Amino acid sequence: MYLDAYGHNSIARMAKLSLCLENISLLAAKSVEWTRPGAGYIELSTRYVDMSGKDFYPVAREIGEYGVDPELVQECMNYSFQFYRHFQGENFSGPFPQFLREQYGELFPDKKDLERGVIGETCDVLGNFLPCATLTSVGIAVSGEAFPELLKHLILDGTPENLVLTRMIAEEAAKIGGDQFLRHYEPSEWKKALWAYLDPNEFDYGRMGDLRPSRILEPVIADDEIARRILWASFHRQPPFSENPSRKFNSVLEKLKTIPRGEFDKLPNHFETVSAAFSGVMSFRGWRDLQRQQFCTHYRTYVTPLIGFYLYDKPEPHGFFKACSEVWQKNLALYHVMKSHGVPDALMQYPMALGNLVGFQIREI
């Protein structure tokens, strides 16, 4: 009624739609969550939930339409998934959790704390073996104003799964009147022209046979003196910092030390006034954390094996590095087969493991 009578979507800022997407791929989940502004998400945890019983989005059949043997695609995903199961073991009795218990057990007087840490670290690290096609579920709470942008993003990302999700979400929203917010969700030519994935060739590769590229992260940030001036300008406008005549940021730090800080208190919002841009590579599994930190104005490459693969930077059980290398080589071989058959870049991501490195840029924070 408000939209029809008053002709303005400001009222949509107060509306909230709740959506549940079950049995979608991890790849689709990341596409949905990429549109974070104006929305909140909760995804089935791959850090604390055992994914060994999960199925895959049936991408082998879709890729098979381009002349690639579907069994080759399925075999590549199963090959990666078998390492997830092997290293985790039944009820977390496999080589990886056992190694963690032996390595760090003495540091935990409370064995419950040890087990929580073991399960979290095991699922988190082994999640890099999960193919992007692994099924998951996502809950979404989105404002009416942001709702069209969510669907625009799915359309622009353009996989067959995303396009079906767009139609299904619109149909479900219509049942409760949510379609009132979907009058302009078809991407304009402007949107299409500015939508793009980054070129993997822009990022430094390692030598063939290496898992990690030579450059991991390259920040572009204001120099130390500029950052201090920005922070001082932000802090000195409010007590108790405005009473300090020194105009030096060190005095702000000294004052902060005297203020009691709780266990869950974060740094003051003032520190967010220092802007930075970042360019680098990380595993596709790690890339999701950029979204969780509200870093939404960024771009990434497609998930490919061209840049490298995840490497664990702590002590690891025997055979773990070899497994990462073998999964990467398997992904690389399948990638070249799919490429030679003209499989679209977006579709080639599905069989790839989450541990494949993606290049990214955060243009603005």
Side-chain angles (χ1 to χ4, degrees), residues 1 14 17 23 61 63 77 80 82 90 141 179 202 237 258 308 323 339 352:
M1 182 186 73
M14 302 300 294
L17 290 86
N23 290 324
R61 287 183 294 174
I63 293 176
M77 293 190 292
S80 177
Q82 75 174 358
E90 188 173 353
D179 56 330
E202 295 179 2
R237 293 190 177 97
T258 67
K339 194 76 172 176
M352 300 291 105

Side-chain angles (χ1 to χ4, degrees), residues 50 52 85 88-94 97-98 101 115 118-119:
D50 179 2
S52 60
R85 293 193 179 104
Q88 180 173 291
E90 188 173 353
N91 296 321
F92 295 94
S93 61
Q98 282 294 86
R101 293 184 186 103
E115 280 307 298
V118 165
I119 291 173

Side-chain angles (χ1 to χ4, degrees), residues 11-213:
I11 192 67
R13 295 170 191 167
M14 302 300 294
K16 207 77 172 180
L17 290 86
S18 296
L19 309 168
C20 298
L21 308 180
E22 295 182 296
N23 290 324
I24 65 173
S25 71
L26 286 168
L27 188 67
K30 300 303 172 259
S31 183
V32 169
E33 294 164 5
W34 206 345
T35 56
R36 177 168 288 276
Y41 305 90
I42 182 168
E43 182 183 338
L44 179 69
S45 174
T46 54
R47 184 175 190 185
Y48 294 105
V49 176
D50 179 2
M51 301 291 284
S52 60
K54 288 294 179 181
D55 203 352
F56 299 138
Y57 172 79
V59 71
R61 287 183 294 174
E62 292 182 3
I63 293 176
E65 294 296 316
Y66 292 86
V68 179
D69 184 356
E71 291 187 5
L72 186 64
V73 178
Q74 192 67 41
E75 195 270 336
C76 181
M77 293 190 292
N78 290 338
Y79 187 80
S80 177
F81 210 47
Q82 75 174 358
F83 285 114
Y84 181 91
R85 293 193 179 104
H86 164 70
F87 280 103
Q88 180 173 291
E90 188 173 353
N91 296 321
F92 295 94
S93 61
F96 200 91
Q98 282 294 86
F99 176 82
L100 294 178
R101 293 184 186 103
E102 295 169 4
Q103 186 81 8
Y104 304 106
E106 295 182 358
L107 302 177
F108 291 83
D110 188 336
K111 296 308 175 186
K112 290 183 179 179
D113 288 341
L114 173 63
E115 280 307 298
R116 280 194 292 267
V118 165
I119 291 173
E121 184 77 352
T122 298
C123 291
D124 205 25
V125 173
L126 299 188
N128 287 284
F129 290 128
L130 295 174
C132 292
T134 307
L135 297 184
T136 187
S137 298
V138 178
I140 309 167
V142 59
S143 73
E145 189 175 35
F147 189 34
E149 289 298 317
L150 189 153
L151 296 194
K152 282 181 187 177
H153 197 106
L154 286 175
I155 294 170
L156 288 167
D157 223 358
T159 65
E161 182 184 15
N162 281 1
L163 298 179
V164 171
L165 279 175
T166 301
R167 177 176 57 79
M168 294 178 69
I169 291 171
E171 289 175 355
E172 288 298 307
K175 295 177 181 178
I176 58 169
D179 56 330
Q180 289 292 308
F181 306 120
L182 291 179
R183 298 180 177 189
H184 307 290
Y185 71 91
E186 289 292 339
S188 65
E189 292 304 314
W190 173 265
K191 277 274 190 183
K192 293 175 183 177
L194 296 178
W195 170 263
Y197 275 87
L198 299 179
D199 183 354
N201 291 300
E202 295 179 2
F203 297 87
D204 293 341
Y205 295 175
R207 297 181 304 275
M208 293 303 291
D210 290 343
L211 297 184
R212 189 183 291 278

Side-chain angles (χ1 to χ4, degrees), residues 238-267:
Q238 67 181 84
F241 307 102
S242 59
E243 301 165 359
N244 191 326
S246 71
R247 299 185 63 83
K248 292 185 180 297
F249 184 63
N250 284 345
S251 63
V252 172
L253 296 178
E254 292 300 321
K255 186 68 178 179
L256 287 173
K257 290 179 183 178
T258 67
I259 302 173
R261 181 179 177 186
E263 180 182 357
F264 302 105
D265 288 335
K266 299 181 180 179
L267 285 172

